[in-house]
Amino acid sequence: MLFVPNKLLLEKAMAEGYAVGAFNTNNLETTRAIVRAARELDSPLILATSEGAINYAGINNLKTMAEIAAQESGLPISLHLDHGTSLEIVMRCIRHGWSSVMYDGSKLPFEENVANARQVVELAHLVGVSVEGELGRLVGVEDNISVTEREAAMTDPDQAQEFVKRTGVDALAVAIGNAHGFYKGEPQLDFIRLEQIRARVEVPLVLHGASGIPDEGIRRAVKIGVDKINIDTEVRAAFQKAVASFLAENPQVIDPRKILGPAIKAMSEVVKSKIELFGSVGKA
Ligand code: G3H
Ligand code: ZN
């Protein structure tokens, strides 16, 4: 297998006390920016592709771009399905050579999430593909909900233990107050809950929605034992800002290569700063 399964990357991270960054990509510029950053810092890497990214770019395009970037870099790189919500998309990615899949049944009732995740694990493990499950719901930053509702959506440590045992997932994504997109104000992460989950679960833990979490919060999460950290929004924002300011200054330029060049650099800088923060420099 060209790509490295998450299980291998994350077990090393767990043993050595750092986290591997999972960065979302949906085009050539982003893929190259992410891989360039990892190469400069000699870091392992997870290239994350959502169903939306696959629909946008086409599964063969995404795979081939990742494949060439991985080959040229010589780094241990995983090609990972992010937030897969059906067996169809999971199987499609496995068939196309992804080395890791996330089955996200977090919006389903517990028993249904367990049954589906178990099924994904049985199939994926036959061909050496790693599986990430999710328990607890990530509340959207826009959702106007009460503290009680927010707490109810968080991962229950006992249930997490049961979930991992019954499904056989290789990694578990947790909800501890983290959310996708930029946070309104300072994120309130429940680190005590994270410690309780860590104490009950043996597999690597995953933190989604890490854009906008202050560096101190990320360091604390890694110290407690988060082994994979997902970043998307901050990379997108760097892309948007670079393109917008380039066009504002150079409205006459129509060459996409000139317009997108600064965006690649800006995205790469964000990825590099995250890799440094996660502690995976030199761990390739
Ligand atoms: O699965 C993707 C991540 O959880 C990204 O979250 O966009 O808040 O960085 P973010
Ligand atoms: Zn996510």
Side-chain angles (χ1 to χ4, degrees), residues 82-83 138 180 208-209 230:
D82 192 30
H83 294 287
L138 257 61
H180 288 133
H208 281 249
N230 289 29

Side-chain angles (χ1 to χ4, degrees), residues 47-97:
L47 276 173
T49 58
S50 65
E51 289 186 56
I54 290 168
N55 291 338
Y56 167 76
I59 196 160
N60 290 314
N61 285 331
L62 270 189
K63 196 267 176 106
T64 307
M65 288 187 277
E67 193 169 72
I68 292 168
Q71 260 163 2
E72 287 178 355
S73 75
L75 296 171
I77 294 182
S78 164
L79 183 58
H80 174 74
L81 168 66
D82 192 30
H83 294 287
T85 53
S86 67
L87 194 56
E88 285 76 11
I89 187 69
V90 163
M91 293 311 290
R92 234 180 125 207
C93 286
I94 292 176
R95 212 157 33 85
H96 281 82

Side-chain angles (χ1 to χ4, degrees), residues 24 82-83 102 104 132 134 138 173 180 207-210 230 232:
N24 287 76
D82 192 30
H83 294 287
M102 174 186 192
D104 181 358
E132 174 182 330
E134 176 163 340
L138 257 61
H180 288 133
L207 186 68
H208 281 249
N230 289 29
D232 185 10

